Amino acid sequence: MRDLTHTGSELKLPPLSLYVHIPWCVRKCPYCDFNSHVPTHIAAGAEPSSGSLPEAEYVDQLERDLRSQLPWIQERRLRSIFFGGGTPSLFSARAIGRILSMAEKLVGFEPDIEITLEANPGTFEQAKFAGYREAGVNRLSIGVQSFDPLQLQNLGRIHSGPEAEIAASSARKAGFDNINLDLMHGLPGQSEIDALKDLARAVELGAEHISWYQLTIEPNTAFYSAPPVTPGSEAIAAIQQSGRAYLASVGYDRYEVSAYARGGLASRHNLNYWAFADYIGIGAGAHGKFTLPEEGRIIRTRRTRTPRDYLSLGQGAAAGESTTDNTTDFPLPKASAIAPEDRPLEFLMNTLRLEAGVPAESFESLTGLPLEAIAAEWQRLQQMELVAPLETRIVTTPFGYDYVDEILQRFLVST
């Protein structure tokens, strides 16, 4: 690949989102490789209360974290906020409200901001749904995974199928009109009919958004040490084909590899990621991305992973103590620049996940590189009918959408 160190192209500021990581869970699921931690002083399977987690201390730390990153925000307002985990619904509505008030005060919100909170379907969390809605959360993402009791047992989930159904109804009664249900397929012993039953139940419950993704066995998980027997590749392909056809037939548009929405309610936060826009990451193990046009740099950030280490950061800073430039002595997250030669792959790793792709001109504005940086390889892929012409959009063909990993591999090799 030719030298991309000096391109003459100008980086532009993209939209900005905020990710808030709540790292605690009641139990670690055997398939989970996320940064989640079970409090050691909580009895196995017991529900932590707001008094059994360092909730207030953690929220104070989140404020210090956000303040430290204000110089990178460059006066943009937030288009979306996502509370992920872990299990964010272990925190009280009061704590979530404090975080939202802090974010609005320090950064500011776009008028139509989307605010999502991940929740488990258990009765402990359901009791808080109305409080979350009152605090400002306007989108709830419920981790159902399956309605089948055997599969829930296989996945180590602590809720039942009926509890998941009640959770969706409880969210609706609490005033949520934008609900996502997380479901998995390719589960141990799962048939095509079983997978479709899960989807049909989610549709019957009226979910505006369904995240439907394949179970994968990841390193550093219990399943990696003792892998379950899952359906073969042909069975998985049949499940995916039938599931996609079914969701399309009942009005759900697939806009990302594993995401389906109806009524135009695609997740704005997810779209921000996949469009290679910017996001602040606060909390233990949180990642972020910032574009710095005046420096010609794009950086990725990450915080220390464990809750204990995160809570010990910047012990000399107190929440609310700030200098004239709105910073504290709280340490900045670790940051690394995305080298110009790596930006094409980074851009495509995100944007090609979108079924509709992105405008072609966004490549130059968001990477600082001319479109010619990918043109030669793109032309070869176009001849293979994997991608559409670069004239207006960067997008795969319908055929190529099933081969995104293979397309990306070509750019990995070319760099």
Side-chain angles (χ1 to χ4, degrees):
M1 177 174 286
R2 66 185 181 83
D3 179 25
L4 299 176
T5 306
H6 303 288
T7 66
S9 300
E10 181 181 351
L11 285 168
K12 293 183 172 58
L13 282 175
L16 182 70
S17 293
L18 170 66
Y19 174 77
V20 183
H21 192 74
I22 309 295
W24 291 282
C25 276
V26 175
R27 179 193 298 172
K28 186 80 170 180
C29 295
Y31 57 86
C32 178
D33 68 336
F34 294 160
N35 182 34
S36 59
H37 304 264
V38 178
T40 55
H41 61 287
I42 302 297
E47 296 282 8
S49 65
S50 57
S52 65
L53 294 173
E55 185 179 86
E57 295 86 349
Y58 194 78
V59 173
D60 287 343
Q61 201 75 327
L62 290 173
E63 179 173 351
R64 297 171 187 136
D65 196 346
L66 182 58
R67 283 182 179 275
S68 76
Q69 300 184 57
L70 290 180
W72 289 332
I73 292 169
Q74 303 187 61
E75 300 184 355
R76 285 173 290 178
R77 294 180 179 273
L78 296 171
R79 71 176 306 188
S80 67
I81 298 175
F82 194 99
F83 290 89
T87 307
S89 54
L90 293 180
F91 268 28
S92 67
R94 180 177 179 275
I96 299 301
R98 276 191 61 200
I99 296 167
L100 291 177
S101 295
M102 171 264 292
E104 185 171 24
K105 175 184 176 182
L106 294 179
V107 185
F109 293 172
E110 295 287 350
D112 58 348
I113 186 171
E114 173 194 272
I115 302 174
T116 302
L117 183 134
E118 289 185 332
N120 271 345
T123 55
F124 175 79
E125 283 90 348
Q126 290 177 39
K128 305 182 204 173
F129 285 176
Y132 294 140
R133 185 69 190 91
E134 186 175 351
V137 177
N138 55 26
R139 183 175 183 271
L140 207 62
S141 181
I142 303 175
V144 174
Q145 314 313 346
S146 178
F147 294 96
D148 184 286
L150 177 60
Q151 295 298 353
L152 290 171
Q153 182 178 349
N154 289 336
L155 294 172
R157 304 295 290 173
I158 59 175
H159 66 270
S160 66
E163 280 181 319
E165 295 174 354
I166 293 170
S169 299
S170 297
R172 195 71 69 194
K173 290 177 183 177
F176 287 96
D177 56 8
N178 192 356
I179 298 171
N180 170 65
L181 298 183
D182 272 348
L183 292 173
M184 301 175 77
H185 66 271
L187 306 179
Q190 186 181 53
S191 69
E192 185 177 331
I193 292 175
D194 294 334
L196 289 175
K197 283 182 179 178
D198 274 345
L199 286 177
R201 192 66 193 108
V203 171
E204 290 168 2
L205 290 168
E208 283 76 21
H209 190 286
I210 295 174
S211 297
W212 190 54
Y213 50 96
Q214 181 184 342
L215 171 65
T216 55
I217 309 301
E218 302 291 348
N220 302 315
T221 65
F223 274 177
Y224 189 78
S225 301
V229 179
T230 56
S233 58
E234 290 186 5
I236 292 291
I239 287 173
Q240 292 174 341
Q241 184 176 3
S242 296
R244 292 167 188 166
Y246 168 69
L247 288 171
S249 73
V250 291
Y252 288 82
D253 296 322
R254 184 188 185 199
Y255 68 93
E256 189 265 339
V257 172
S258 304
Y260 303 78
R262 64 181 180 185
L265 291 175
S267 167
R268 293 181 200 166
H269 194 84
N270 287 347
L271 288 172
N272 204 61
Y273 287 146
W274 307 136
F276 203 59
D278 284 357
Y279 52 97
I280 314 161
I282 60 173
H287 290 240
K289 170 185 171 285
F290 293 96
T291 302
L292 307 174
E294 68 284 355
E295 302 175 21
R297 293 198 303 152
I298 304 171
I299 61 172
R300 291 200 180 278
T301 67
R302 69 183 191 279
R303 280 295 183 194
T304 186
R305 286 176 59 85
T306 67
R308 175 182 296 179
D309 289 343
Y310 181 76
L311 286 167
S312 70
L313 289 172
Q315 292 285 7
E321 291 182 359
S322 62
T323 61
T324 55
D325 62 353
N326 289 324
T327 63
T328 71
D329 57 356
F330 195 81
L332 288 168
K334 292 181 179 178
S336 57
I338 304 176
E341 61 268 23
D342 294 331
R343 291 178 193 174
L345 180 61
E346 290 260 358
F347 178 89
L348 294 171
M349 283 175 63
N350 289 276
T351 57
L352 291 187
R353 291 182 64 98
L354 293 172
E355 189 167 79
V358 294
E361 60 265 25
S362 68
F363 180 83
E364 183 165 334
S365 65
L366 297 180
T367 68
L369 305 174
L371 198 56
E372 288 76 14
I374 62 171
E377 190 60 52
W378 197 268
Q379 180 65 30
R380 287 188 281 270
L381 290 165
Q382 186 180 332
Q383 292 170 356
M384 300 165 65
E385 300 184 348
L386 292 171
V387 298
L390 274 178
E391 296 169 358
T392 58
R393 299 191 71 78
I394 296 174
V395 63
T396 70
T397 61
F399 168 71
Y401 198 48
D402 288 330
Y403 297 94
V404 170
D405 288 344
E406 289 79 358
I407 293 171
L408 293 173
Q409 187 67 30
R410 299 290 293 266
F411 287 95
L412 179 62
V413 171
S414 67
T415 58

